[in-house]
Amino acid sequence: MIEKEENISQECRDIISGLPREEGWFQNSLYQFQGFWHQAWLIQGALGFQKHFKACDDDILLVTTPKSGTTWLKAILYATLNRYPTFHLFPTITPISHNHPLLTTSPHLLLPFVEGMYQDNIFRDQIDGMASPRLLFTHMPYSSLPKSVKHSSCKIVFLCRNPKDNFVSLWHFANKIRPKTWGTLSLEEALDKFCRGVSPHGPFWNHVLEYWLESLKRPDKIKFLKYEDMKDQPATNLKILAHFIGHSFSQEEEVGGVIDDILSICCFENLSNLKVNKEGKLPFGMETSAFFRKGQVGDSVNYLSSEIIEKFDSITQEKLGPHGLKF
Ligand code: A3P
């Protein structure tokens, strides 16, 4: 994957040269493409994704707003989908054994990031050649998804989070991974960008709203999940999720503790303490530890003044309230 803006294709260069541009949060500028702010290399990937991706009816596409708990849900979906072989071999024990892939591999490497992969023909072929059911991941807004995703029977799992916690998590993440030469991103500067909609794959509220509205129209196609609900009732939501993706837990599995095992291996305490997630690096150098901070609901009160909280709440109410979406 290219990531660096100077390496993007001429086609993409021509497109972004006509787009509104703003300084980014962690690296590279953000460009407003199809109504949302993305880095150039991801616009190149989105173009490839839109042009070449052929959805299969049994594909499962995880879509998230950045910093909404992607790492967690990647792990949960992976463990849910890949529980059968072990379980069938040893039906009397639970499937999470000491050699589970999540113990040695970052969740980010277990689900291909489609707009990252579709920048390049070589990576694209890897997605095309994956065994089914394919479990894929994207941050793309609903309006930018390829037609074949919308028209096939593939399932979309969408995860988002309370805007204030999402913002605080993004701000910390940006400061962890920004090049030192960029200096620290102040809370005020980040807040101004976020509230103007200039955040990675933002505007945050529009990103969430598109999936919310579509999930109301097509509940069998899109499962709309909130981080807070997963935290509050993980087992109930995991059962619903497994059913939604067509891999419901059997009675035998439920009694055998499979749901609890999946939740235990994927929980913050476990994942964040694994060597691979503490000391690992993703391709292109990002440290896996950057994806783990506190993993709590409501941490934003520790960073935002009551005035800022009011501002956030009023934007959320104005943008999402009329559509029946509350955080
Ligand atoms: P905080 O910064 O609030 O702690 P993403 O995976 O989309 O980048 O989101 C990162 C956020 O999810 C961070 O939130 C991180 O701590 C939290 N997170 C990571 N793994 C988690 C897990 N297994 N369970 C719950 N939250 C998790």
Side-chain angles (χ1 to χ4, degrees):
M1 283 175 237
I2 53 179
E3 251 183 79
K4 288 208 164 59
E5 192 164 327
E6 56 268 28
N7 295 337
I8 60 169
S9 68
Q10 191 56 47
E11 183 200 8
C12 185
R13 207 173 284 279
D14 292 344
I15 290 172
I16 64 169
S17 67
L19 298 177
R21 172 184 177 145
E22 291 252 1
E23 191 183 292
W25 287 59
F26 4 99
Q27 55 175 9
N28 305 325
S29 301
L30 288 174
Y31 295 88
Q32 195 180 32
F33 169 72
Q34 299 177 345
F36 290 81
W37 294 92
H38 310 279
Q39 296 177 56
W41 67 286
L42 295 176
I43 294 175
Q44 179 167 320
L47 291 167
F49 185 31
Q50 291 172 351
K51 202 158 148 190
H52 301 291
F53 184 74
K54 290 189 188 63
C56 301
D57 285 338
D58 59 0
D59 283 346
I60 300 156
L61 186 62
L62 170 65
V63 188
T64 69
T65 50
K67 313 322 293 172
S68 62
T70 313
T71 315
W72 187 25
L73 217 65
K74 279 181 175 176
I76 285 183
L77 283 173
Y78 180 86
T80 302
L81 207 62
N82 293 287
R83 71 189 191 266
Y84 293 107
T86 329
F87 188 68
H88 284 156
L89 277 177
F90 307 104
T92 54
I93 58 162
T94 53
I96 306 302
S97 60
H98 59 276
N99 59 359
H100 194 280
L102 279 166
L103 299 178
T104 48
T105 313
S106 159
H108 294 284
L109 296 177
L110 294 171
L111 278 73
F113 177 35
V114 275
E115 59 270 37
M117 302 288 270
Y118 268 84
Q119 293 170 79
D120 190 300
N121 287 342
I122 304 170
F123 295 125
R124 196 174 101 198
D125 290 347
Q126 285 178 20
I127 291 202
D128 294 345
M130 276 172 75
S132 76
R134 298 184 301 181
L135 181 55
L136 305 166
F137 164 70
T138 182
H139 281 311
M140 277 293 132
Y142 184 78
S143 50
S144 292
L145 291 181
K147 284 198 183 72
S148 93
V149 169
K150 296 175 184 172
H151 297 151
S152 74
S153 302
C154 79
K155 301 282 187 184
I156 297 175
V157 175
F158 178 72
L159 178 72
C160 61
R161 184 177 193 184
N162 177 299
K164 291 168 285 192
D165 285 355
N166 201 124
F167 163 74
V168 165
S169 184
L170 178 64
W171 173 61
H172 277 103
F173 182 73
N175 279 320
K176 256 190 220 166
I177 69 162
R178 275 159 80 89
K180 293 274 171 289
T181 50
W182 278 39
T184 305
L185 177 68
S186 72
L187 185 76
E188 292 68 30
E189 211 182 326
L191 189 68
D192 172 63
K193 282 178 191 288
F194 195 87
C195 291
R196 286 191 296 113
V198 185
S199 58
H201 310 282
F204 170 89
W205 291 271
N206 302 32
H207 195 272
V208 171
L209 184 60
E210 282 194 355
Y211 282 98
W212 170 248
L213 293 178
E214 206 51 40
S215 74
L216 295 179
K217 277 191 238 157
R218 303 170 73 192
D220 293 342
K221 171 86 182 169
I222 303 183
K223 173 58 62 203
F224 187 94
L225 279 175
K226 292 179 189 161
Y227 179 86
E228 295 73 25
D229 293 341
M230 280 303 290
K231 276 282 207 185
D232 189 35
Q233 293 197 302
T236 305
N237 281 303
L238 175 51
K239 260 206 271 191
I240 294 172
L241 195 55
H243 178 71
F244 174 76
I245 62 172
H247 294 261
S248 300
F249 295 102
S250 65
Q251 188 70 25
E252 191 188 17
E253 285 177 304
E254 282 195 32
V255 173
V258 175
I259 295 176
D260 287 344
D261 273 2
I262 291 176
L263 292 171
S264 304
I265 200 169
C266 298
C267 76
F268 183 85
E269 291 66 30
N270 185 56
L271 286 188
S272 63
N273 283 309
L274 294 172
K275 190 164 190 262
V276 64
N277 296 322
K278 267 162 94 168
E279 297 168 20
K281 283 202 173 175
L282 296 177
F284 302 96
M286 192 184 291
E287 291 177 6
T288 49
S289 60
F291 293 94
F292 301 90
R293 193 178 62 93
K294 289 188 181 171
Q296 289 169 5
V297 171
D299 183 48
S300 52
V301 295
N302 298 315
Y303 297 91
L304 306 180
S305 66
S306 50
E307 204 178 301
I308 294 174
I309 288 176
E310 237 173 71
K311 180 177 174 173
F312 255 103
D313 289 347
S314 89
I315 300 176
T316 304
Q317 174 53 30
E318 183 198 326
K319 302 231 181 194
L320 306 181
H323 304 282
L325 182 53
K326 292 196 178 0
F327 282 94

